[in-house]
Amino acid sequence: MTLKVAVQMDHVATINPTGDSTFAMMLEAQARGHKLLHYTPDTLALRDNVVTALAAPIEVFDRPKGEHFQLGEETRVDLSTQDVIHMRQDPPFDMNYITITHLLERLHPKTLVVNPPAAVRNAPEKILVTDFPELMPPTLVTRDRAMIHQFRREHTNIIVKPLYGNGGAGVFFLQEGDHNLASLLELFEANYREPFMIQKYLPDVRKGDKRIIIIDGEPVAGLNRIPADGEARSNMHVGGRPELSELTAREREICAAIAPALKERDMIFVGIDVIGDYLTEINVTSPTGIREIKRFGGPDIAVMIWDAIEKRRAS
């Protein structure tokens, strides 16, 4: 089976190929003989109900940054001519992102978009997770200052973060006795129109924030990310130290509990975040971590993703 595959992503020149999950999926697609196109979401257009993008053929190489790709000539391509589109640009999950899902929804499922654009639009990571309050730490979503202060009084140490951020950006840890909450809320109010997410701080984060990769509803690997000294966030780009980690009984219980919701939405590639016994996020936009998992001796998840895609295209 040879597929025509368009990859919607931040420009390939900007990524770090050693740790980029999109790049891993492109390498696997190329190894299978699929024909790859690369385009950035800012080139999307809709005219006469035809969705196009300024796209170029791409060849990828498992080499250091700067040597990892070669692009052909850009042309405007009718995306309905493609068999598969990977929607892999990074958030923020803002109105631009939402608009892009509306455009790609016109193509899916005749052209298979991974993950399905309407499902992604209706399942932002910090909202979908609230469907499972029994799995989460105490959580509040609001702009109401009085409710936030009351929540802080109840739980003392809290995390405050933007509802539609990504990669740990804008995540703050406020300890008991910290007098910066009012100033922080002023900052958030000036920069975000949406409600904020406030959660009870989980001390288990010092042991790691585990990213669990789920393919077609089934957990396939876990990557624990341990925060650097003096850092509350565990994201790898802010110094979190990754290590391969077996799934615990509780983590498998969490995965089993959310699997029906993921399958119902036909989510192929999902990454969830677990701290201790608690689910904190369900990442469906552009999950990461698969290159690190393979590098540390785990499974080749890009292979699993493409097996799932090809199964759908063959049916």
Side-chain angles (χ1 to χ4, degrees):
M1 176 188 294
T2 300
L3 298 174
K4 291 183 288 184
V5 179
V7 184
Q8 175 178 295
M9 61 186 294
D10 302 320
H11 198 281
V12 65
T14 68
I15 68 170
N16 176 8
T18 62
D20 193 89
S21 294
T22 306
F23 188 72
M25 290 189 286
M26 294 170 76
L27 284 170
E28 178 61 22
Q30 183 174 272
R32 294 180 180 222
H34 301 322
K35 297 178 180 178
L36 288 172
L37 289 178
H38 165 280
Y39 72 93
T40 55
D42 58 297
T43 71
L44 280 169
L46 174 67
R47 182 172 182 178
D48 299 326
N49 207 31
V50 176
V51 180
T52 65
L54 196 59
I58 185 170
E59 189 175 0
V60 288
F61 313 99
D62 201 358
R63 299 173 186 166
K65 185 171 182 176
E67 305 173 11
H68 63 289
F69 73 95
Q70 182 174 325
L71 286 170
E73 183 180 354
E74 282 188 330
T75 57
R76 186 150 291 279
V77 175
D78 178 351
L79 292 178
S80 69
T81 63
Q82 301 300 294
D83 299 303
V84 178
I85 294 174
H86 279 290
M87 184 169 63
R88 290 289 303 177
Q89 78 274 15
D90 284 339
F93 192 89
D94 54 13
M95 283 307 300
N96 179 58
Y97 206 109
I98 289 171
T99 301
I100 287 167
T101 67
H102 281 291
L103 296 182
L104 295 186
E105 189 179 1
R106 295 167 182 264
L107 302 167
H108 182 80
K110 183 176 182 292
T111 295
L112 178 67
V113 183
V114 182
N115 288 311
V120 169
R121 183 174 67 246
N122 294 329
E125 9 261 41
K126 294 181 182 70
I127 294 293
L128 177 59
V129 69
T130 61
D131 286 358
F132 307 95
E134 71 282 1
L135 304 177
M136 295 184 68
T139 298
L140 171 67
V141 177
T142 189
R143 291 177 69 91
D144 187 298
R145 286 197 182 195
M147 292 189 71
I148 295 170
H149 283 286
Q150 177 59 37
F151 187 92
R152 205 272 180 87
R153 286 191 291 272
E154 290 176 27
H155 298 291
T156 311
N157 295 336
I158 61 171
I159 295 291
V160 182
K161 51 190 174 182
L163 196 59
Y164 297 122
N166 72 300
V171 176
F172 289 85
F173 170 37
L174 295 181
Q175 295 178 274
E176 184 178 11
D178 189 317
H179 300 295
N180 290 304
L181 179 57
S183 296
L184 178 60
L185 294 180
E186 289 174 6
L187 179 66
F188 270 46
E189 288 165 354
N191 285 278
Y192 306 109
R193 297 183 62 188
E194 304 84 10
F196 323 131
M197 175 170 271
I198 302 91
Q199 291 183 314
K200 178 182 177 179
Y201 173 72
L202 299 174
D204 275 343
V205 74
R206 302 311 311 170
K207 302 175 185 176
D209 180 349
K210 188 178 291 189
R211 166 59 54 85
I212 300 172
I213 302 298
I214 298 176
I215 305 298
D216 258 355
E218 297 295 327
V220 297
L223 186 74
N224 202 27
R225 301 162 298 175
I226 300 173
D229 291 341
E231 176 61 74
R233 301 168 298 174
S234 59
N235 308 76
M236 288 181 285
H237 76 274
V238 294
R241 175 169 55 85
E243 59 182 22
L244 202 63
S245 179
E246 293 292 327
L247 271 58
T248 66
R250 171 59 174 170
E251 289 161 354
R252 292 192 178 278
E253 178 185 331
I254 289 171
C255 292
I258 68 174
L262 301 180
K263 290 179 179 178
E264 178 186 358
R265 293 166 170 81
D266 199 28
M267 297 289 191
I268 290 178
F269 180 19
V270 174
I272 69 170
D273 295 337
V274 177
I275 299 174
D277 290 334
Y278 295 100
L279 174 68
T280 59
E281 290 190 16
I282 301 176
N283 299 279
V284 302
T285 49
S286 55
T288 60
I290 69 176
R291 293 219 87 181
E292 290 81 4
I293 287 170
K294 183 181 179 183
R295 188 157 55 244
F296 288 120
D300 190 337
I301 294 170
V303 169
M304 299 179 183
I305 293 168
W306 275 105
D307 285 347
I309 291 170
E310 289 179 358
K311 181 179 177 181
R312 282 168 173 75
R313 289 286 72 183
S315 63

